[in-house]
Structures are given as C-alpha cells and as structure tokens.
Amino acid sequence: MGKIITGIHHVTAIAGDAQKNLEFYAGILGIRMVKKTVNFDGPEVYHFYYGDETGQPGSILTFFPYQGLVRGRHGKGMLNTTTFSVPLTSLDYWLNRLKKYGIAYKEPQERFDGEVVVYFEDTDGLGLELVFNDKDARPAYSGGPVPAEHTIRGFYNVEVWEEGYERTAGLLTEQLEHTLIAEKANRFRFAANDSPGNYVDIICTPDSLRGLGGSGTVHHIAFSTPGKTEQLEVRDRIVKRMLNPTPVLDRNYFTSIYFREPGGVLFEVATAVPGFTVDESVEHLGEALKLPAQFEKERARLEQLLPAVSINLSDYK
Ligand code: ZN
C-alpha cells in the first residue's frame, strides 16, 4: 500500500449569513463555489463548498451558514487560521483588493523562508491568511473575478492552536503519516506531503483561552486518503490509538470518518474519490442545489426553507 494519508482534504467552518458568505468567498476572494448542497446531518442548513476549478483536495473550504448564529471565539483546541496560497508577485494586487472591499488586514510579515503572510478575517471573523510564495505549481482558475495570474491556488497551510504540541504531533506522525518539516518559535509545521496545500502548523498557545464554537470558527479539518481501502486502514490505526472513530459515513463526494484529536480539534479522514464531478460536470460545478438521494424527496420543502442566494461575479472584477 502506498501512502494512506496524502495531505489536507478540506476545512469546514461555521458561518452566519449565507449570502454574505457567498459574496466574500466567490466574489471578493474569487474562489469557485464547487458545490451547493445541504448539511447531510441536518438538511435545513446549506453546505457550501469552495475550491479550485475541479475541487481538488487541498483547496476545499466549506461552510455551514446558520443565519443569526452567535459568534464563536478563536482559542486553543481549535483550528484558528486557514491560509490560502497566492503567487509572490501578487502582493500589491491583493492588498489593493482587500482595501477596495474594506477588509482590515495585518501588515505583511515573513514566516518561513519565501513566505510572506497577510492575516485578515471574513465577515464572521473566521481567521484567514494569504501566503505569498513561489512554490505552488497548481493551476490558476480563470473563470472567476480575480485575474488568473493572481488567483488563490488552494490552501497553503492551516494553523491549529494547542496547549502543547506533543500529543497532536504524535497522532500526526505515528498514525497519519505526517513528518515535522519546519519549526520556528512556537510554530511546528507538519506535512504528509511537502507541498502547498498540505501544511499543518501547530502553534503552542498555553496561555490562550479555549476556543468556543460559533460563527467564524472552524468545525473540523479533513485529511485526504486515496480510497476506501486506505480509509479503513487509517480507521484501524485510530481505533488502536483509542480515539474512537465514527463508522465510515457516505458524504456523496467522498466517504468520511471522524474522531477528536487529543487537543480537542475534530479530525476527519475523507477519500479523494469520487469527488465533486460525480453529480455535476466541471463546467457547471456549484450552480444547482444538489441533494443526496435521501433528501431528494424533500427538495420542494428544502428549497422553500433555505435562503435564496445569488451572485453576479462580474460585479467583483
Ligand atoms: Zn468534512
């Protein structure tokens, strides 16, 4: 068997207003909505997936938008920052774009060699960064409002805050095929695959408060496994580590297992197949409300209940 964990699959966060979420990600950030569906565990709520053109693992940020939900709090035991990869030469473009839309950001700073980082937040307070770098060979999306030369290529890394890094690091390195590839001060960077889109940074923040769920916080991070055989092998390892994983659940676009890592962050392991083109062609990803078979009979009720959302991407050019 080859690698059973190949990197990051997706990050799922909680939002407030669905329309504002769409405007922020598809409009201002210019990433593609690749799937509009519902929460399979509660179909009265949307599940929006944003990603690269075809929805590859390592590019997928998803949201459950709950209208009017109280804000959460960033803190330890939580994934607090999701970072996007953009070309090193796009710094001026993006600073101007953030200014144009009135998005406050922290001054650019260098992190590891060749990485210039700008922190900002979405309309719900979700922690985001743009990481300007020249290491990313993934294709640029040309169908959105941002010129292809400047588009977000996918994730760069995620940042998880922990009381201490050791127990989470043990799980990542012993069961999830990650290695420590860099460290600086209280930041420890792990990866199953040393390339943009797959870095997991653990930050030791013993003095911070614990994170609290709510809008503007991350619900879970999913790691990518090639297919069902590898997923069962991961599950077996998690059982042996006494972390009590769920059974394999069918998410239509992948199958999943979930378990909580020792620091408190919900981890998922999701298959890279079948992917987002299983029920829509690449050209039409994200256009229609897609429902899994078990909710199709409720379509009329759900379409009436879910808030209408729409966007004219040319308004964001
Ligand atoms: Zn997930």
Side-chain angles (χ1 to χ4, degrees):
M1 198 179 281
K3 279 193 83 86
I4 63 170
I5 294 289
T6 54
I8 295 173
H9 190 287
H10 65 265
V11 171
T12 292
I14 300 168
D17 187 78
Q19 176 64 28
K20 281 197 182 122
N21 183 264
L22 178 65
E23 290 170 3
F24 190 88
Y25 289 93
I28 298 171
L29 296 189
I31 53 178
R32 188 178 195 192
M33 180 179 264
V34 294
K35 197 63 66 184
K36 181 163 64 174
T37 183
V38 294
N39 183 346
F40 288 13
D41 299 322
E44 292 79 12
V45 172
Y46 275 126
H47 196 180
F48 291 164
Y49 289 74
Y50 302 94
D52 67 7
E53 184 166 13
T54 57
Q56 292 304 303
S59 76
I60 303 292
L61 180 58
T62 95
F63 291 92
F64 297 125
Y66 290 87
Q67 187 70 42
L69 185 72
V70 70
R71 277 203 185 190
R73 178 178 76 197
H74 298 173
K76 64 189 174 191
M78 194 174 259
L79 193 166
N80 291 307
T81 309
T82 303
T83 84
F84 293 112
S85 179
V86 277
L88 201 51
T89 49
S90 299
L91 183 64
D92 289 344
Y93 173 85
W94 277 103
L95 294 186
N96 285 329
R97 191 165 176 88
L98 294 176
K99 276 185 207 138
K100 178 178 166 186
Y101 289 101
I103 299 164
Y105 58 86
K106 292 187 184 169
E107 284 307 305
Q109 48 178 281
E110 186 166 32
R111 182 164 290 153
F112 293 111
D113 280 349
E115 295 173 13
V116 176
V117 180
V118 173
Y119 179 90
F120 59 104
E121 295 178 349
D122 78 2
T123 45
D124 294 306
L126 189 75
L128 302 170
E129 284 172 342
L130 291 170
V131 180
F132 298 88
N133 70 95
D134 59 8
K135 298 202 305 189
D136 201 330
R138 290 175 290 179
Y141 177 49
S142 56
V146 173
E149 62 190 298
H150 300 305
T151 48
I152 287 171
R153 302 304 204 259
F155 294 145
Y156 191 84
N157 68 280
V158 295
E159 184 178 298
V160 177
W161 292 12
E162 300 279 13
E163 172 82 29
Y165 82 99
E166 295 85 356
R167 290 185 306 160
T168 308
L171 172 66
L172 286 171
T173 58
E174 290 158 31
Q175 273 76 36
L176 300 177
E177 301 198 318
H178 281 60
T179 51
L180 178 67
I181 60 163
E183 60 177 282
K184 193 175 193 179
N186 63 342
R187 180 181 297 266
F188 299 83
R189 173 164 290 177
F190 296 85
N193 171 354
D194 185 355
S195 63
N198 298 302
Y199 301 124
V200 178
D201 291 4
I202 300 180
I203 317 287
C204 295
T205 59
D207 297 331
S208 71
L209 294 168
R210 283 201 75 80
L212 289 176
S215 70
T217 63
V218 165
H219 186 264
H220 63 265
I221 173 174
F223 296 92
S224 191
T225 191
K228 291 197 178 184
T229 312
E230 295 87 353
Q231 186 171 52
L232 289 173
E233 167 65 20
V234 180
R235 188 175 184 283
D236 200 43
R237 291 185 188 182
I238 301 306
V239 168
K240 288 184 177 131
R241 203 171 173 108
M242 311 289 281
L243 291 175
N244 195 27
T246 64
V248 174
L249 300 170
D250 185 2
R251 297 318 197 187
N252 239 19
Y253 311 105
F254 41 85
T255 60
S256 298
I257 61 168
Y258 302 83
F259 52 96
R260 209 165 280 284
E261 60 85 25
V265 181
L266 187 61
F267 278 10
E268 173 183 351
V269 172
T271 54
V273 290
F276 298 99
T277 53
V278 72
D279 60 359
E280 276 174 315
S281 65
V282 169
E283 306 82 78
H284 296 290
L285 284 177
E287 289 178 6
L289 176 67
K290 304 306 287 188
L291 297 175
Q294 67 268 32
F295 298 132
E296 200 54 66
K297 60 182 181 303
E298 295 182 65
R299 176 175 285 275
R301 179 180 76 88
L302 294 173
E303 283 184 342
Q304 213 211 344
L305 198 67
L306 293 162
V309 292
S310 66
I311 189 164
N312 184 354
L313 291 177
S314 57
D315 292 345
Y316 291 87
K317 289 204 164 146

